[in-house]
Amino acid sequence: MKELPNKNEIRLRYASYGPMFMEVLEKIELKLRHTLKLSSNPTYKNRIKSFNSYYKKILRQKAAEAGSSTSLVTLTDMIGIRVVCPFVEDLSIVERQIKEKFDVREVERKGAEQSFREFGYESVHILISIPEDCYPTENISMKLPEGMVCEIQVRTILQDAWAEVEHELIYKSEFNPFDKPLRRKLASINASLTLADIIFQEIRDYQKKLQTELGTRRNTFYEKADDYSDELLKIPSGSSHTLPHSEFLNENEGVASPYTKGSIDDLVLTALHEHNVGNFDKAIEIYTQILNSDPEPPAVVLSVIFKHRGMAYFAQNLYDQATEDFKKSVSLDPKNFRSIYYEGIVNSVQGKDREAIECFNRSLSIDSFQSHVYYRRSLAEYNLGEYAAAMSDINNAINLGLEDDDVKELKSKLVKKFDMNM
């Protein structure tokens, strides 16, 4: 007669490893957090398999071993970490980075072969060997079971949500739904979540493309403003500038819907591209088309488009038109401190330093943490001979982390002015 497992003995044996497993698990999660580099922040979950789940599984898969062994029977999912990512694109990035930094034993793609009529969850399961620097140190009298692995599950937020619900409805239930209409409903929900993941990724792809175009356009705008600064400060051409990049890393353009041909999103992207390649007349034509759309876009969208068109006018030295568009942008969105700041730059380039300072004051009254605005206000104050105010502003810019050749040169000139007056 086969020897039957002793549940109480197995329970005590399994519990004795609990603190060790938790220590290993926490170390691996910390290592993962340091390893994974994504543009969006994933969520981490860890767990040690409950004894009841563990016991059911060894009876189902390793009953003979469980009955005869005096050591712990190991499973591949006794300890596990789940990495939950916002977007589909993150899944392959996480998998690649795990393969680069860990000893991967196996990769399983659950749900990959399912038809659209099925409703099982999707997930990437990666089995890794326990890294040596994650071995336990708390209890050196015990050793990890031979060949033990950690299971890392990688899912999107929606895949994880479905898996949690599916686990309650199907896996933990004694009876699966046999009723065809009910099964169709479950399959429909699963398909809807999959479609939502695809749409979220499309929006993400659109935003990346838009940000690339926006970044290029901003640099073009600021190259013109920085040429003016260099002329005033007598900085040789080719010196380093960080202002175009640091000023707008967190700008929210207010456009977030998925784009289709002829939509405002599509037109914005086309206009930005024409703007970036120097086709300013074409860009202005498209911006104007958006502004004249029927029905009229929301005020926040109009504010953004007036701002873009003003920048295109600025690139053509059409300062009056640029100023008018920036003013219209602010009238539609009074909190649009960017457009107020841009108006100040147009004034600066035209030598209207007093008007520029007034714009910079208004912009800073809305957001006082704009290092670049302090710099440009300092430059205008320097031109007006208001050296004490200029020194205060350049120090504010530096304290907020702004460092480039223009800032250093202006600070140097101000120091010399103070030395001459001593």
Side-chain angles (χ1 to χ4, degrees):
M1 183 176 176
K2 292 183 179 179
E3 184 178 354
L4 297 176
N6 185 313
K7 186 175 182 178
N8 287 332
E9 288 182 3
I10 295 174
R11 186 198 304 275
L12 292 173
R13 189 179 305 135
Y14 190 70
S16 68
Y17 281 90
M20 180 186 297
F21 287 169
M22 182 53 68
E23 182 185 351
V24 171
L25 199 55
E26 289 174 348
K27 287 181 176 180
I28 295 177
E29 181 181 330
L30 183 62
K31 190 178 182 73
L32 266 178
R33 288 177 181 270
H34 289 159
T35 296
L36 300 182
K37 307 297 180 185
L38 300 172
S39 57
S40 53
N41 293 324
T43 299
Y44 297 86
K45 304 176 182 179
N46 67 45
R47 66 102 182 96
I48 297 174
K49 198 174 189 69
S50 70
F51 174 73
N52 286 338
S53 295
Y54 168 78
Y55 188 69
K56 287 178 182 178
K57 197 163 186 178
I58 62 172
L59 289 186
R60 189 170 65 249
Q61 295 185 1
K62 300 184 177 183
E65 187 177 342
S68 59
S69 177
T70 57
S71 58
L72 186 72
V73 178
T74 59
L75 299 173
T76 58
D77 62 347
M78 288 193 301
I79 64 172
I81 298 172
R82 189 175 302 161
V83 183
V84 183
C85 307
F87 303 103
V88 173
E89 68 175 359
D90 298 327
L91 304 183
S92 58
I93 297 173
V94 169
E95 182 179 340
R96 173 175 55 78
Q97 293 179 355
I98 289 175
K99 287 179 177 178
E100 290 173 354
K101 296 295 183 179
F102 294 87
D103 177 18
V104 174
R105 304 274 290 274
E106 181 183 327
V107 177
E108 181 183 6
R109 305 181 196 284
K110 291 187 177 290
E113 304 302 322
Q114 292 172 169
S115 74
F116 69 92
R117 295 186 180 87
E118 297 176 292
F119 50 85
Y121 71 91
E122 293 185 40
S123 181
V124 178
H125 290 199
I126 304 171
L127 299 184
I128 64 165
S129 300
I130 308 300
E132 289 188 8
D133 56 357
C134 296
Y135 275 31
T137 55
E138 291 287 330
N139 190 346
I140 58 175
S141 64
M142 295 179 65
K143 293 184 179 180
L144 283 176
E146 188 75 22
M148 186 173 176
V149 296
C150 175
E151 180 184 71
I152 302 175
Q153 300 176 359
V154 188
R155 301 172 183 166
T156 67
I157 294 171
L158 295 183
Q159 287 174 348
D160 189 55
W162 171 245
E164 294 286 357
V165 174
E166 190 261 2
H167 186 75
E168 294 294 326
L169 288 177
I170 309 301
Y171 183 78
K172 292 174 67 174
S173 175
E174 185 176 354
F175 295 103
N176 289 344
F178 297 107
D179 182 66
K180 285 187 177 181
L182 184 56
R183 293 179 68 88
R184 289 194 190 100
K185 287 178 182 179
L186 289 169
S188 176
I189 293 171
N190 193 20
S192 296
L193 292 174
T194 301
L195 177 60
D197 257 339
I198 293 170
I199 293 173
F200 286 155
Q201 185 61 55
E202 287 178 351
I203 296 172
R204 183 69 161 179
D205 292 341
Y206 168 76
Q207 289 177 329
K208 285 184 176 180
K209 191 173 182 181
L210 179 64
Q211 286 303 113
T212 298
E213 296 289 356
L214 285 170
T216 304
R217 185 223 52 195
R218 292 167 194 151
N219 287 346
T220 302
F221 181 84
Y222 273 89
E223 283 170 4
K224 185 179 182 69
D226 285 330
D227 286 343
Y228 166 73
S229 302
D230 291 350
E231 184 178 344
L232 288 174
L233 298 173
K234 306 302 182 185
I235 295 178
S237 61
S239 300
S240 72
H241 291 290
T242 59
L243 286 173
H245 303 285
S246 62
E247 293 183 23
F248 293 97
L249 288 177
N250 296 313
E251 181 173 359
N252 181 356
E253 294 295 335
V255 182
S257 59
Y259 65 106
T260 56
K261 192 67 176 175
S263 69
I264 288 179
D265 296 300
D266 184 54
L267 290 171
V268 168
L269 201 55
T270 303
L272 287 172
H273 177 72
E274 296 295 340
H275 191 153
N276 292 338
V277 298
N279 294 334
F280 301 116
D281 288 336
K282 182 64 176 177
I284 289 170
E285 177 187 334
I286 299 172
Y287 290 138
T288 304
Q289 179 184 344
I290 297 170
L291 293 171
N292 295 331
S293 298
D294 186 19
E296 184 178 80
V300 66
V301 175
L302 292 174
S303 176
V304 169
I305 301 306
F306 273 119
K307 179 175 64 179
H308 291 336
R309 194 175 72 172
M311 296 174 81
Y313 280 135
F314 178 79
Q316 294 183 304
N317 299 327
L318 299 173
Y319 300 134
D320 289 343
Q321 291 93 323
T323 298
E324 183 180 355
D325 271 4
F326 292 142
K327 287 181 180 293
K328 288 179 179 177
S329 175
V330 176
S331 70
L332 289 159
D333 181 5
K335 296 296 184 182
N336 193 335
F337 55 88
R338 303 287 187 189
S339 291
I340 301 172
Y341 170 50
Y342 294 170
E343 182 187 345
I345 288 178
V346 176
N347 286 325
S348 291
V349 171
Q350 293 179 281
K352 300 177 181 179
D353 292 307
R354 189 61 65 194
E355 291 89 338
I357 290 173
E358 192 276 331
C359 289
F360 298 147
N361 290 344
R362 288 164 54 209
S363 183
L364 287 169
S365 71
I366 300 172
D367 182 352
S368 61
F369 295 95
Q370 301 179 79
S371 58
H372 45 281
V373 183
Y374 285 110
Y375 160 73
R376 296 202 183 272
R377 189 171 71 176
S378 177
L379 183 61
E381 290 162 342
Y382 174 84
N383 292 337
L384 293 171
E386 298 172 358
Y387 302 129
M391 180 63 83
S392 176
D393 274 345
I394 201 68
N395 286 334
N396 284 335
I398 293 170
N399 289 338
L400 287 171
L402 188 62
E403 295 182 5
D404 79 337
D405 289 342
D406 286 352
V407 173
K408 294 174 183 176
E409 182 64 22
L410 180 55
K411 177 70 180 282
S412 175
K413 286 182 176 295
L414 285 167
V415 170
K416 290 178 181 178
K417 290 291 183 182
F418 280 99
D419 289 342
M420 290 172 59
N421 294 330
M422 290 181 64

